[in-house]
Every structure is written in C-alpha cells, then in structure tokens.
C-alpha cells in the first residue's frame, strides 16, 4: 500500500488552513509514519506535482489522500476522519 498526502499552497503562498489542521492531527496521532509521499498542489503553479495529481484524479478539494494498492484503482479520500477510519485503523 502506498499513501500520498496532497496539501495546497494558496495563491498568496500560504498553506491552506484545512491542510494545516490535517497535518497537525497527523502529527499529534503519530500517523505521519504511514505516509509514503507528501505533494504540494501550488495554486500558482499548475504544473506542480500536487496540482497534476489532483487534475489526473479529478479532485477539487485539498488536502486529500491517495491510497494505492497493487491491482486496484487509486482511492481518494478528502475527509481526514474517513481516511483514518477506513485506511489507517485497518493497518
């Protein structure tokens, strides 16, 4: 299983508030260790890795998690608590 977190940088260069909240929860609950990659979706750069992934997966919200398992389509989670319940709690 491979887990990617995509965080958004706003046009003014700041990290989105929800992204900060989710990142704080991941740290507080010692869940960062489950992440394989963190990508930045930079509103100022449509070619940034996070923006490209969001476009490819047709995701409009950030932060989001992408869970990839061999032989399955990637699953996208835009809600932290659902991600924790369905993915992290099953590890």
């Amino acid at each position: 299983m491979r887990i990617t977190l995509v965080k958004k940088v706003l046009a003014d260069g700041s990290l989105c508030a929800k992204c900060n909240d989710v990142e704080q929860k991941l740290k507080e609950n010692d869940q960062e260790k489950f992440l394989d990659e963190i990508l930045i979706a930079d509103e100022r750069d449509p070619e940034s890795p996070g923006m490209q992934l969001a476009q490819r997966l047709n995701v409009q919200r950030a932060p989001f998690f992408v869970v990839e398992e061999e032989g399955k389509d990637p699953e996208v989670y835009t809600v932290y608590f659902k991600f924790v319940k369905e993915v992290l709690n099953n590890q």
Side-chain angles (χ1 to χ4, degrees):
M1 179 184 304
R2 179 170 174 75
I3 301 172
T4 302
L5 167 62
V6 178
K7 304 186 299 185
K8 181 165 63 173
V9 171
L10 304 175
D12 67 2
S14 65
L15 195 61
C16 79
K18 187 175 172 191
C19 296
N20 280 332
D21 291 344
V22 166
E23 197 164 32
Q24 190 62 38
K25 286 183 177 91
L26 289 167
K27 285 180 183 167
E28 288 172 1
N29 296 311
D30 195 29
Q31 296 166 326
E32 289 177 302
K33 63 187 176 199
F34 297 112
L35 303 178
D36 295 293
E37 185 174 27
I38 298 174
L39 297 178
I40 301 296
D42 191 333
E43 287 186 343
R44 303 164 298 179
D45 180 8
E47 298 302 313
S48 65
M51 291 295 271
Q52 289 182 346
L53 183 60
Q55 185 175 16
R56 195 178 89 222
L57 297 173
N58 198 26
V59 180
Q60 307 297 320
R61 299 170 62 187
F64 66 93
F65 298 89
V66 180
V67 179
E68 298 172 280
E69 292 186 73
E70 198 165 326
K72 295 182 180 180
D73 289 336
E75 279 196 68
V76 175
Y77 293 87
T78 57
V79 177
Y80 166 78
F81 293 109
K82 182 176 181 183
F83 166 73
V84 169
K85 181 180 177 187
E86 294 183 9
V87 179
L88 296 185
N89 286 348
N90 292 324
Q91 293 221 30

